[in-house]
Amino acid sequence: MEAFALTQPVLLVLLSLAEQPRHGYAILKDVESMSDGRVLLSTGTLYGALQRLLDNGWIERVEEGETPRDRRTYRLTSRGRRNLQMEVERMRHLTKVAGLRMARKEA
């Protein structure tokens, strides 16, 4: 998962976890909110993305007290935060290039 553009669902999951640790349902709702309702992740998409992120060391499970047995909470690792920052920088650069090219076309 290193060194290439992230899919929109994975990017939104990482952005959700950048703010605070969350469990699966909270991530689904946060992604929906961040995208103004344009992205509605299925549970299969969410848990597939979470598993890949776990496997790559970008997120980790957090043990919480007094929670239902099947509710798992996740948080970004330092590796995940670093890779998210790189992706945000890549997107900033791409947006800048797009703006410059669009301005040339309009001139």
Side-chain angles (χ1 to χ4, degrees):
M1 226 185 241
E2 308 261 355
F4 60 84
L6 303 177
T7 64
Q8 185 178 30
V10 169
L11 175 62
L12 290 170
V13 167
L14 290 171
L15 288 171
S16 180
L17 295 174
E19 185 177 51
Q20 67 185 40
R22 297 183 199 272
H23 58 83
Y25 183 74
I27 294 169
L28 288 175
K29 297 315 273 177
D30 192 42
V31 165
E32 182 179 348
S33 175
M34 272 191 290
S35 68
D36 293 325
R38 290 185 309 264
V39 177
L40 303 172
L41 296 179
S42 70
T43 55
T45 298
L46 173 65
Y47 287 103
L50 288 172
Q51 189 58 57
R52 285 189 304 279
L53 291 167
L54 283 166
D55 291 346
N56 285 291
W58 290 31
I59 65 171
E60 61 190 1
R61 285 195 185 101
V62 179
E63 293 299 322
E64 290 190 281
E66 310 293 322
T67 60
R69 180 183 248 177
D70 59 342
R71 189 162 107 176
R72 294 183 178 136
T73 300
Y74 304 90
R75 71 175 167 209
L76 275 183
T77 61
S78 58
R79 178 184 209 177
R81 188 168 297 278
R82 190 171 50 253
N83 286 315
L84 177 58
Q85 289 169 337
M86 288 179 4
E87 178 65 6
V88 169
E89 286 303 315
R90 186 194 72 79
M91 292 177 72
R92 277 190 188 127
H93 173 73
L94 187 57
T95 301
K96 181 179 176 184
V97 169
L100 290 171
R101 290 197 174 205
M102 295 295 294
R104 283 189 220 149
K105 182 67 175 171
E106 293 170 3

XYZ file of all heavy atoms in Angstrom:
860
model
N 0.810 -1.191 0.000
C 0.000 0.000 0.000
C 0.857 1.260 0.000
O 0.343 2.348 -0.016
C -0.904 -0.016 1.228
C -2.319 0.346 0.905
S -3.306 0.462 2.371
C -4.475 -0.799 2.011
N 2.141 1.124 0.035
C 3.027 2.280 0.109
C 3.245 2.883 -1.277
O 3.221 2.203 -2.277
C 4.390 1.843 0.670
C 4.308 1.081 1.948
C 4.571 1.917 3.181
O 4.903 3.085 3.051
O 4.430 1.376 4.271
N 3.420 4.210 -1.305
C 3.909 4.928 -2.479
C 2.993 4.921 -3.692
O 3.472 4.942 -4.800
C 5.294 4.407 -2.864
N 1.681 4.861 -3.503
C 0.786 5.085 -4.630
C -0.516 5.681 -4.124
O -0.796 5.674 -2.927
C 0.545 3.813 -5.448
C -0.074 2.676 -4.703
C -1.450 2.589 -4.540
C 0.715 1.671 -4.187
C -2.022 1.528 -3.864
C 0.148 0.599 -3.509
C -1.223 0.541 -3.350
N -1.274 6.225 -5.049
C -2.508 6.910 -4.684
C -3.465 5.964 -3.964
O -3.601 4.796 -4.322
C -3.166 7.466 -5.934
N -4.114 6.493 -2.953
C -5.075 5.707 -2.187
C -6.449 5.774 -2.842
O -6.796 6.785 -3.444
C -5.188 6.266 -0.764
C -3.902 6.331 0.047
C -4.173 6.983 1.398
C -3.310 4.951 0.231
N -7.228 4.730 -2.677
C -8.603 4.786 -3.154
C -9.376 5.748 -2.262
O -8.988 6.014 -1.118
C -9.272 3.398 -3.104
O -9.352 2.981 -1.737
C -8.519 2.381 -3.944
N -10.478 6.254 -2.773
C -11.275 7.194 -1.988
C -11.753 6.577 -0.668
O -11.632 7.225 0.376
C -12.452 7.710 -2.806
C -13.247 8.776 -2.074
C -14.395 9.319 -2.901
O -14.963 8.626 -3.740
N -14.732 10.567 -2.660
N -12.274 5.350 -0.665
C -12.692 4.779 0.624
C -11.551 4.689 1.635
O -11.727 5.032 2.803
C -13.208 3.381 0.251
C -13.655 3.513 -1.167
C -12.661 4.473 -1.788
N -10.380 4.253 1.207
C -9.245 4.126 2.121
C -8.821 5.510 2.618
O -8.556 5.695 3.817
C -8.065 3.378 1.460
C -6.798 3.487 2.295
C -8.439 1.922 1.239
N -8.773 6.487 1.739
C -8.422 7.846 2.144
C -9.405 8.361 3.194
O -9.002 8.921 4.224
C -8.405 8.777 0.928
C -8.160 10.254 1.228
C -6.792 10.470 1.855
C -8.300 11.076 -0.039
N -10.697 8.167 2.976
C -11.696 8.654 3.919
C -11.623 7.919 5.259
O -11.805 8.532 6.316
C -13.087 8.553 3.302
C -13.343 9.536 2.154
C -14.642 9.202 1.433
C -13.350 10.967 2.650
N -11.336 6.628 5.235
C -11.160 5.880 6.487
C -9.976 6.441 7.260
O -10.060 6.691 8.473
C -10.986 4.369 6.217
C -10.493 3.632 7.461
C -12.295 3.766 5.716
N -8.869 6.665 6.577
C -7.686 7.226 7.241
C -7.962 8.619 7.794
O -7.546 8.945 8.909
C -6.498 7.263 6.274
C -5.910 5.909 5.898
C -4.891 6.064 4.768
C -5.288 5.222 7.100
N -8.663 9.443 7.023
C -9.002 10.783 7.505
C -9.902 10.710 8.738
O -9.757 11.515 9.668
C -9.684 11.594 6.397
C -8.769 12.053 5.272
C -9.595 12.645 4.133
C -7.739 13.056 5.779
N -10.818 9.772 8.750
C -11.681 9.598 9.911
C -10.857 9.246 11.145
O -11.054 9.812 12.227
C -12.719 8.508 9.638
O -13.558 8.326 10.757
N -9.906 8.343 10.982
C -9.087 7.909 12.107
C -8.015 8.927 12.485
O -7.479 8.872 13.592
C -8.453 6.550 11.796
C -9.460 5.404 11.654
C -8.744 4.136 11.212
C -10.237 5.189 12.935
N -7.722 9.872 11.585
C -6.733 10.899 11.896
C -7.236 11.803 13.023
O -6.449 12.326 13.805
C -6.418 11.739 10.657
N -8.536 11.952 13.095
C -9.120 12.826 14.117
C -9.145 12.156 15.496
O -8.814 12.781 16.489
C -10.534 13.218 13.696
C -11.178 14.216 14.625
C -12.536 14.634 14.143
O -13.379 13.764 13.837
O -12.756 15.852 14.086
N -9.540 10.884 15.516
C -9.632 10.150 16.772
C -9.860 8.664 16.482
O -10.288 8.316 15.388
C -10.781 10.677 17.622
C -12.147 10.411 17.004
C -13.267 11.058 17.799
O -13.130 12.171 18.268
N -14.363 10.342 17.951
N -9.567 7.800 17.442
C -9.893 6.377 17.263
C -11.403 6.212 17.110
O -12.182 6.954 17.718
C -9.398 5.723 18.560
C -8.370 6.665 19.096
C -8.865 8.032 18.707
N -11.816 5.254 16.288
C -13.245 5.012 16.066
C -13.488 3.534 15.838
O -12.612 2.813 15.364
C -13.738 5.754 14.822
C -13.651 7.262 14.893
C -14.234 7.875 13.627
N -13.805 9.228 13.432
C -14.409 10.294 13.931
N -15.481 10.162 14.673
N -13.944 11.510 13.688
N -14.698 3.110 16.103
C -15.126 1.757 15.771
C -15.784 1.800 14.391
O -16.037 2.876 13.837
C -16.052 1.172 16.846
C -17.276 1.989 17.095
N -18.403 1.897 16.319
C -17.534 2.919 18.036
C -19.306 2.732 16.777
N -18.812 3.376 17.813
N -16.052 0.633 13.827
C -16.515 0.534 12.441
C -17.720 1.389 12.109
O -17.716 2.134 11.121
N -18.779 1.308 12.916
C -19.989 2.079 12.615
C -19.703 3.575 12.666
O -20.187 4.334 11.821
C -21.114 1.713 13.589
C -22.405 2.433 13.286
C -23.191 2.054 12.202
C -22.829 3.502 14.074
C -24.375 2.717 11.907
C -24.004 4.169 13.793
C -24.777 3.775 12.712
O -25.939 4.444 12.422
N -18.886 4.012 13.626
C -18.534 5.435 13.721
C -17.742 5.881 12.490
O -17.911 7.014 12.014
C -17.748 5.704 15.001
N -16.896 5.003 11.961
C -16.154 5.337 10.734
C -17.129 5.498 9.578
O -17.042 6.466 8.812
C -15.096 4.254 10.413
C -14.006 4.220 11.487
C -14.473 4.510 9.027
C -13.073 3.023 11.390
N -18.076 4.566 9.443
C -19.078 4.663 8.365
C -19.812 5.994 8.415
O -19.982 6.667 7.394
C -20.092 3.524 8.469
C -19.637 2.120 8.114
C -20.745 1.117 8.402
C -19.206 2.040 6.660
N -20.254 6.382 9.600
C -21.022 7.618 9.755
C -20.135 8.845 9.506
O -20.571 9.825 8.910
C -21.664 7.698 11.138
C -22.675 6.598 11.410
C -23.633 6.355 10.259
C -24.849 7.211 10.273
N -25.724 6.992 9.104
N -18.885 8.798 9.947
C -17.976 9.925 9.747
C -17.645 10.099 8.265
O -17.600 11.225 7.762
C -16.699 9.738 10.573
C -15.853 10.991 10.631
O -16.423 12.099 10.803
O -14.616 10.872 10.523
N -17.425 9.007 7.563
C -17.156 9.069 6.119
C -18.355 9.676 5.398
O -18.199 10.548 4.536
C -16.802 7.671 5.563
C -16.884 7.643 4.042
C -15.413 7.257 6.038
N -19.541 9.245 5.768
C -20.749 9.798 5.163
C -20.834 11.307 5.425
O -21.118 12.096 4.513
C -21.977 9.097 5.735
C -23.283 9.554 5.150
C -24.489 8.826 5.731
O -24.321 7.802 6.424
O -25.610 9.290 5.461
N -20.534 11.719 6.636
C -20.572 13.134 7.003
C -19.494 13.937 6.261
O -19.773 15.006 5.706
C -20.384 13.273 8.513
O -20.300 14.620 8.887
N -18.259 13.430 6.247
C -17.162 14.128 5.565
C -17.442 14.335 4.087
O -17.035 15.336 3.512
C -15.850 13.319 5.681
C -15.036 13.592 6.875
S -13.400 12.838 6.721
C -13.757 11.097 6.838
N -18.119 13.377 3.479
C -18.369 13.432 2.033
C -19.727 14.067 1.710
O -20.173 14.010 0.569
C -18.308 12.019 1.442
O -19.395 11.238 1.904
N -20.356 14.671 2.714
C -21.685 15.266 2.530
C -22.675 14.263 1.938
O -23.493 14.603 1.087
C -21.623 16.519 1.669
C -20.871 17.663 2.337
O -20.972 17.799 3.577
O -20.184 18.412 1.627
N -22.562 13.011 2.370
C -23.486 11.977 1.944
C -23.197 11.369 0.583
O -23.926 10.495 0.122
N -22.129 11.790 -0.073
C -21.801 11.258 -1.402
C -21.152 9.882 -1.345
O -21.202 9.137 -2.312
C -20.890 12.230 -2.147
C -21.576 13.509 -2.584
C -20.653 14.382 -3.433
N -19.372 14.608 -2.805
C -19.057 15.685 -2.074
N -19.925 16.627 -1.892
N -17.870 15.809 -1.542
N -20.506 9.556 -0.231
C -19.849 8.252 -0.092
C -20.518 7.493 1.042
O -20.489 7.923 2.198
C -18.334 8.406 0.194
C -17.688 7.038 0.397
C -17.651 9.167 -0.928
N -21.145 6.381 0.678
C -21.782 5.496 1.647
C -21.076 4.150 1.551
O -21.338 3.368 0.631
C -23.275 5.344 1.344
C -24.079 6.646 1.307
C -25.493 6.382 0.803
C -24.103 7.300 2.671
N -20.145 3.920 2.442
C -19.371 2.678 2.396
C -20.228 1.501 2.833
O -20.970 1.597 3.812
C -18.166 2.759 3.335
C -17.091 3.794 3.027
C -16.004 3.732 4.096
C -16.503 3.572 1.657
N -20.109 0.397 2.119
C -20.737 -0.840 2.587
C -19.848 -1.400 3.692
O -18.653 -1.081 3.780
C -20.859 -1.844 1.443
O -19.571 -2.336 1.086
N -20.419 -2.256 4.520
C -19.603 -2.852 5.574
C -18.486 -3.717 4.979
O -17.390 -3.756 5.515
C -20.462 -3.673 6.563
O -21.209 -4.637 5.822
C -21.391 -2.787 7.362
N -18.761 -4.355 3.853
C -17.730 -5.164 3.201
C -16.553 -4.332 2.740
O -15.391 -4.717 2.916
N -16.843 -3.177 2.151
C -15.778 -2.265 1.710
C -14.994 -1.757 2.906
O -13.758 -1.735 2.904
C -16.371 -1.082 0.921
O -17.022 -1.591 -0.244
C -15.296 -0.082 0.515
N -15.717 -1.346 3.955
C -15.054 -0.822 5.149
C -14.139 -1.867 5.772
O -12.955 -1.605 6.004
C -16.077 -0.356 6.186
C -15.462 0.038 7.531
C -14.562 1.253 7.385
C -16.534 0.267 8.566
N -14.675 -3.054 6.036
C -13.865 -4.040 6.747
C -12.754 -4.627 5.880
O -11.697 -4.999 6.399
C -14.751 -5.105 7.394
C -15.463 -4.496 8.586
C -16.796 -4.130 8.510
C -14.764 -4.214 9.748
C -17.435 -3.516 9.584
C -15.383 -3.606 10.825
C -16.715 -3.262 10.742
O -17.323 -2.647 11.806
N -12.929 -4.637 4.563
C -11.832 -5.014 3.666
C -10.705 -3.992 3.740
O -9.522 -4.341 3.815
N -11.085 -2.704 3.726
C -10.083 -1.631 3.823
C -9.385 -1.677 5.181
O -8.150 -1.561 5.259
C -10.738 -0.275 3.609
N -10.156 -1.859 6.254
C -9.554 -1.926 7.588
C -8.568 -3.087 7.687
O -7.484 -2.930 8.256
C -10.639 -2.068 8.657
C -11.487 -0.826 8.912
C -12.645 -1.162 9.845
C -10.657 0.322 9.455
N -8.919 -4.226 7.111
C -8.011 -5.379 7.181
C -6.707 -5.096 6.429
O -5.627 -5.418 6.916
C -8.677 -6.641 6.632
C -7.861 -7.886 6.872
C -7.578 -8.122 8.346
O -8.489 -8.221 9.154
N -6.310 -8.208 8.704
N -6.804 -4.489 5.243
C -5.584 -4.145 4.483
C -4.734 -3.143 5.266
O -3.506 -3.262 5.318
C -5.931 -3.596 3.115
C -6.379 -4.668 2.124
C -6.521 -4.146 0.701
N -7.417 -3.008 0.588
C -8.748 -3.070 0.526
N -9.347 -4.243 0.567
N -9.471 -1.975 0.411
N -5.382 -2.168 5.875
C -4.648 -1.166 6.656
C -3.992 -1.795 7.883
O -2.862 -1.450 8.238
C -5.577 -0.020 7.053
C -6.051 0.861 5.892
C -7.208 1.754 6.320
C -4.908 1.677 5.316
N -4.689 -2.730 8.517
C -4.090 -3.471 9.643
C -2.884 -4.286 9.180
O -1.823 -4.258 9.810
C -5.125 -4.413 10.271
C -6.173 -3.806 11.185
C -7.309 -4.799 11.425
C -5.561 -3.358 12.500
N -3.072 -5.009 8.072
C -1.995 -5.863 7.539
C -0.745 -5.059 7.187
O 0.368 -5.564 7.303
C -2.467 -6.624 6.301
C -3.509 -7.694 6.607
O -3.695 -8.043 7.793
O -4.160 -8.151 5.646
N -0.948 -3.811 6.751
C 0.176 -2.960 6.349
C 0.712 -2.092 7.480
O 1.628 -1.304 7.268
C -0.223 -2.086 5.156
C -0.272 -2.892 3.885
O 0.750 -3.327 3.374
N -1.468 -3.130 3.369
N 0.131 -2.210 8.659
C 0.629 -1.460 9.807
C 0.250 0.014 9.811
O 0.868 0.805 10.512
N -0.769 0.384 9.037
C -1.197 1.790 8.982
C -2.169 2.123 10.098
O -2.302 3.280 10.482
C -1.846 2.092 7.646
C -0.895 2.112 6.499
C 0.247 1.396 6.343
C -1.024 2.894 5.309
N 0.828 1.675 5.126
C 0.064 2.588 4.481
C -1.978 3.807 4.862
C 0.242 3.179 3.236
C -1.796 4.391 3.615
C -0.694 4.081 2.822
N -2.885 1.111 10.599
C -3.788 1.284 11.728
C -3.571 0.127 12.685
O -2.925 -0.872 12.337
C -5.280 1.342 11.304
C -5.741 0.007 10.702
C -5.542 2.514 10.372
C -7.239 -0.080 10.453
N -4.117 0.282 13.887
C -4.060 -0.797 14.864
C -5.362 -0.824 15.645
O -6.082 0.170 15.705
C -2.871 -0.616 15.800
C -2.919 0.665 16.602
C -1.622 0.962 17.343
O -0.660 0.178 17.233
O -1.579 1.988 18.043
N -5.659 -1.982 16.210
C -6.834 -2.111 17.071
C -6.504 -1.540 18.436
O -5.384 -1.678 18.916
C -7.242 -3.570 17.221
C -7.924 -4.092 16.006
C -8.633 -5.422 16.316
N -9.184 -5.937 15.079
C -8.628 -6.900 14.361
N -7.514 -7.463 14.757
N -9.200 -7.303 13.240
N -7.501 -0.945 19.045
C -7.353 -0.372 20.372
C -8.267 -1.136 21.312
O -9.444 -1.341 20.995
C -7.764 1.125 20.376
C -7.640 1.714 21.757
C -6.951 1.904 19.374
N -7.732 -1.546 22.424
C -8.549 -2.217 23.431
C -9.275 -1.163 24.244
O -8.681 -0.220 24.738
C -7.674 -3.064 24.358
C -7.034 -4.255 23.673
C -8.041 -5.239 23.116
O -9.085 -5.479 23.769
O -7.795 -5.760 22.012
N -10.577 -1.314 24.331
C -11.379 -0.413 25.146
C -12.069 -1.238 26.218
O -12.404 -2.391 26.000
C -12.439 0.281 24.292
C -11.873 1.307 23.323
C -12.977 2.128 22.699
O -13.615 1.614 21.770
O -13.195 3.254 23.151
N -12.308 -0.627 27.334
C -13.057 -1.305 28.387
C -14.526 -1.375 27.997
O -14.895 -1.049 26.896
N -15.367 -1.861 28.781
C -16.822 -1.847 28.689
C -17.433 -1.614 27.294
O -18.280 -0.752 27.118
C -17.387 -0.779 29.629
C -16.868 -0.834 31.044
C -17.315 -2.078 31.793
O -18.458 -2.521 31.624
O -16.488 -2.609 32.549
N -16.999 -2.335 26.285
C -17.623 -2.236 24.965
C -18.153 -3.597 24.563
O -17.652 -4.623 25.028
C -16.625 -1.764 23.874
O -15.563 -2.695 23.783
C -16.073 -0.379 24.172
N -19.151 -3.618 23.702
C -19.639 -4.910 23.227
C -18.492 -5.728 22.617
O -17.575 -5.177 22.016
C -20.665 -4.535 22.155
C -21.075 -3.144 22.497
C -19.874 -2.497 23.137
N -18.577 -7.013 22.775
C -17.497 -7.919 22.364
C -17.117 -7.772 20.888
O -15.952 -7.844 20.531
C -17.926 -9.353 22.650
C -16.898 -10.363 22.283
C -17.418 -11.728 22.530
N -16.664 -12.304 23.626
C -16.903 -13.481 24.133
N -17.907 -14.196 23.706
N -16.163 -13.960 25.090
N -18.100 -7.573 20.012
C -17.797 -7.531 18.579
C -17.463 -6.124 18.077
O -17.226 -5.935 16.904
C -18.952 -8.116 17.780
C -20.263 -7.382 18.020
O -20.362 -6.656 19.023
O -21.186 -7.552 17.213
N -17.444 -5.147 18.950
C -17.119 -3.785 18.529
C -15.622 -3.544 18.682
O -15.088 -3.563 19.787
C -17.903 -2.777 19.361
C -17.753 -1.376 18.803
C -18.832 -0.488 19.315
N -18.283 0.433 20.281
C -18.974 1.383 20.845
N -20.256 1.510 20.601
N -18.408 2.199 21.689
N -14.968 -3.322 17.553
C -13.521 -3.094 17.563
C -13.243 -1.635 17.233
O -13.839 -1.068 16.321
C -12.845 -3.984 16.539
C -12.964 -5.436 16.888
C -12.224 -6.295 15.905
N -12.333 -7.681 16.317
C -12.592 -8.664 15.500
N -12.745 -8.446 14.217
N -12.674 -9.895 15.950
N -12.309 -1.070 17.953
C -11.920 0.325 17.733
C -10.539 0.335 17.089
O -9.679 -0.475 17.424
C -11.920 1.085 19.076
O -13.245 1.030 19.612
C -11.524 2.532 18.888
N -10.360 1.275 16.165
C -9.114 1.378 15.399
C -8.532 2.776 15.544
O -9.256 3.741 15.747
C -9.388 1.116 13.906
C -10.053 -0.208 13.657
C -11.441 -0.324 13.639
C -9.296 -1.359 13.452
C -12.058 -1.547 13.418
C -9.916 -2.583 13.235
C -11.296 -2.672 13.222
O -11.901 -3.878 13.008
N -7.216 2.871 15.406
C -6.556 4.174 15.380
C -5.382 4.121 14.408
O -4.854 3.046 14.104
C -6.090 4.593 16.764
C -4.914 3.799 17.284
C -4.423 4.339 18.616
N -3.524 3.367 19.212
C -3.358 3.221 20.503
N -4.005 3.970 21.357
N -2.514 2.321 20.966
N -4.992 5.303 13.947
C -3.831 5.403 13.053
C -2.558 5.095 13.813
O -2.414 5.472 14.971
C -3.693 6.836 12.524
C -4.477 7.261 11.319
C -4.121 8.695 10.949
C -4.273 6.356 10.145
N -1.634 4.454 13.142
C -0.279 4.304 13.683
C 0.541 5.482 13.157
O 0.092 6.236 12.290
C 0.358 2.992 13.191
O 0.448 3.041 11.755
C -0.439 1.771 13.637
N 1.745 5.637 13.652
C 2.606 6.709 13.142
C 2.892 6.485 11.651
O 2.948 7.438 10.874
C 3.903 6.806 13.936
O 4.605 5.585 13.906
N 3.016 5.238 11.246
C 3.229 4.917 9.830
C 2.015 5.343 8.998
O 2.150 5.919 7.917
C 3.473 3.426 9.675
C 3.667 2.969 8.271
C 3.791 1.462 8.225
N 4.596 1.074 7.112
C 4.919 -0.164 6.845
N 4.535 -1.143 7.633
N 5.643 -0.441 5.797
N 0.820 5.047 9.499
C -0.399 5.434 8.801
C -0.535 6.936 8.683
O -0.906 7.469 7.632
N -0.229 7.661 9.762
C -0.310 9.125 9.737
C 0.692 9.697 8.736
O 0.393 10.608 7.975
C -0.072 9.687 11.131
C -0.334 11.182 11.223
C -0.383 11.653 12.673
N -1.461 11.059 13.428
C -2.718 11.473 13.413
N -3.067 12.480 12.650
N -3.629 10.867 14.150
N 1.890 9.147 8.716
C 2.933 9.609 7.780
C 2.482 9.379 6.332
O 2.606 10.261 5.481
C 4.235 8.861 8.081
C 5.450 9.381 7.372
C 6.745 8.735 7.883
N 6.703 7.271 7.945
C 6.627 6.563 9.082
N 6.592 7.155 10.246
N 6.600 5.246 9.038
N 1.925 8.208 6.050
C 1.473 7.910 4.689
C 0.260 8.749 4.309
O 0.127 9.166 3.153
C 1.190 6.425 4.545
C 2.481 5.626 4.475
O 3.408 5.994 3.778
N 2.550 4.545 5.212
N -0.614 9.023 5.246
C -1.744 9.910 4.985
C -1.249 11.315 4.665
O -1.729 11.945 3.721
C -2.697 9.929 6.184
C -3.887 10.883 6.082
C -4.743 10.592 4.853
C -4.716 10.817 7.370
N -0.276 11.797 5.405
C 0.289 13.124 5.131
C 0.906 13.183 3.739
O 0.751 14.177 3.025
C 1.331 13.498 6.191
C 0.712 13.804 7.534
C 1.737 13.926 8.650
O 2.853 13.392 8.573
N 1.359 14.604 9.715
N 1.586 12.111 3.338
C 2.172 12.072 1.993
C 1.081 12.110 0.930
O 1.219 12.779 -0.096
C 3.040 10.818 1.819
C 4.334 10.905 2.590
S 5.474 9.475 2.512
C 4.770 8.333 1.416
N -0.020 11.402 1.161
C -1.127 11.401 0.207
C -1.783 12.778 0.116
O -2.109 13.249 -0.975
C -2.164 10.345 0.591
C -3.377 10.307 -0.314
C -3.103 9.902 -1.748
O -1.957 9.523 -2.084
O -4.045 9.958 -2.560
N -1.945 13.444 1.241
C -2.522 14.789 1.238
C -1.610 15.734 0.462
O -2.088 16.557 -0.342
C -2.771 15.282 2.679
C -3.105 16.765 2.710
C -3.895 14.463 3.326
N -0.311 15.624 0.645
C 0.641 16.454 -0.117
C 0.568 16.148 -1.611
O 0.617 17.052 -2.444
C 2.067 16.264 0.400
C 2.317 16.939 1.722
C 2.026 18.433 1.689
O 2.423 19.130 0.727
O 1.358 18.904 2.638
N 0.442 14.869 -1.959
C 0.324 14.483 -3.366
C -0.932 15.106 -3.974
O -0.901 15.647 -5.081
C 0.268 12.954 -3.485
C 0.281 12.443 -4.932
C -0.108 10.975 -5.004
N -1.514 10.769 -4.742
C -2.496 10.977 -5.644
N -2.214 11.409 -6.855
N -3.752 10.756 -5.329
N -2.014 15.075 -3.229
C -3.266 15.637 -3.724
C -3.190 17.166 -3.839
O -3.735 17.748 -4.780
C -4.423 15.218 -2.812
C -4.702 13.726 -2.909
S -5.989 13.192 -1.782
C -7.414 13.910 -2.593
N -2.515 17.806 -2.882
C -2.320 19.271 -2.962
C -1.567 19.633 -4.242
O -1.920 20.578 -4.936
C -1.538 19.775 -1.751
C -2.373 20.009 -0.554
C -1.566 20.741 0.521
N -2.359 20.786 1.726
C -1.963 20.379 2.911
N -0.735 19.924 3.087
N -2.756 20.443 3.951
N -0.504 18.890 -4.520
C 0.286 19.144 -5.723
C -0.568 18.953 -6.977
O -0.541 19.790 -7.888
C 1.507 18.226 -5.757
C 2.268 18.324 -7.038
N 3.060 19.409 -7.362
C 2.339 17.482 -8.092
C 3.573 19.232 -8.564
N 3.157 18.062 -9.029
N -1.311 17.877 -7.010
C -2.154 17.592 -8.167
C -3.212 18.683 -8.360
O -3.475 19.118 -9.484
C -2.819 16.226 -7.992
C -3.604 15.691 -9.174
C -2.733 15.589 -10.418
C -4.186 14.331 -8.824
N -3.791 19.144 -7.261
C -4.783 20.220 -7.329
C -4.152 21.510 -7.848
O -4.752 22.226 -8.655
C -5.422 20.443 -5.947
O -6.030 19.219 -5.524
C -6.469 21.533 -5.978
N -2.935 21.797 -7.429
C -2.224 22.990 -7.897
C -1.973 22.896 -9.403
O -2.216 23.847 -10.150
C -0.899 23.136 -7.142
C -0.104 24.347 -7.548
C 1.184 24.429 -6.748
C 2.035 25.582 -7.226
N 3.327 25.626 -6.516
N -1.484 21.749 -9.847
C -1.230 21.542 -11.277
C -2.528 21.680 -12.070
O -2.573 22.334 -13.118
C -0.571 20.161 -11.526
C -0.546 19.815 -13.008
C 0.837 20.137 -10.947
N -3.599 21.097 -11.561
C -4.897 21.181 -12.250
C -5.352 22.638 -12.354
O -5.821 23.071 -13.414
C -5.942 20.356 -11.502
N -5.211 23.383 -11.278
C -5.592 24.799 -11.296
C -4.799 25.585 -12.319
O -5.360 26.410 -13.056
N -3.498 25.345 -12.382
C -2.640 26.041 -13.353
C -3.032 25.691 -14.782
O -3.101 26.558 -15.654
C -1.168 25.701 -13.104
C -0.557 26.272 -11.828
C 0.818 25.676 -11.595
C -0.495 27.788 -11.886
N -3.286 24.438 -15.042
C -3.654 24.019 -16.396
C -5.030 24.554 -16.788
O -5.245 24.926 -17.935
C -3.616 22.508 -16.510
C -2.164 22.041 -16.440
C -1.982 20.689 -16.935
N -0.558 20.408 -16.948
C -0.009 19.524 -17.747
N -0.752 18.842 -18.570
N 1.270 19.324 -17.712
N -5.943 24.569 -15.850
C -7.276 25.115 -16.140
C -7.185 26.617 -16.428
O -7.882 27.118 -17.305
C -8.229 24.848 -14.968
C -8.530 23.381 -14.726
S -9.416 22.593 -16.076
C -10.957 23.453 -15.992
N -6.333 27.312 -15.700
C -6.162 28.757 -15.912
C -5.581 29.025 -17.289
O -5.980 29.979 -17.964
C -5.248 29.335 -14.823
N -4.638 28.192 -17.755
C -4.073 28.354 -19.102
C -5.128 28.167 -20.175
O -5.152 28.867 -21.159
C -2.949 27.344 -19.327
C -1.672 27.716 -18.668
C -0.562 26.783 -19.119
N 0.250 26.492 -17.932
C 0.886 25.362 -17.726
N 0.823 24.391 -18.591
N 1.608 25.212 -16.668
N -5.996 27.202 -19.970
C -7.038 26.912 -20.962
C -8.019 28.080 -21.069
O -8.528 28.389 -22.140
C -7.766 25.622 -20.567
C -8.816 25.186 -21.525
C -8.214 24.765 -22.835
C -9.307 24.199 -23.747
N -8.836 23.973 -25.076
N -8.283 28.743 -19.937
C -9.222 29.858 -19.923
C -8.624 31.127 -20.498
O -9.351 32.020 -20.896
C -9.693 30.119 -18.481
C -10.533 28.975 -17.944
C -10.807 29.096 -16.459
O -10.409 30.094 -15.829
O -11.434 28.170 -15.931
N -7.304 31.222 -20.548
C -6.645 32.456 -21.009
C -6.695 32.609 -22.510
O -7.004 31.816 -23.282
C -5.198 32.459 -20.547
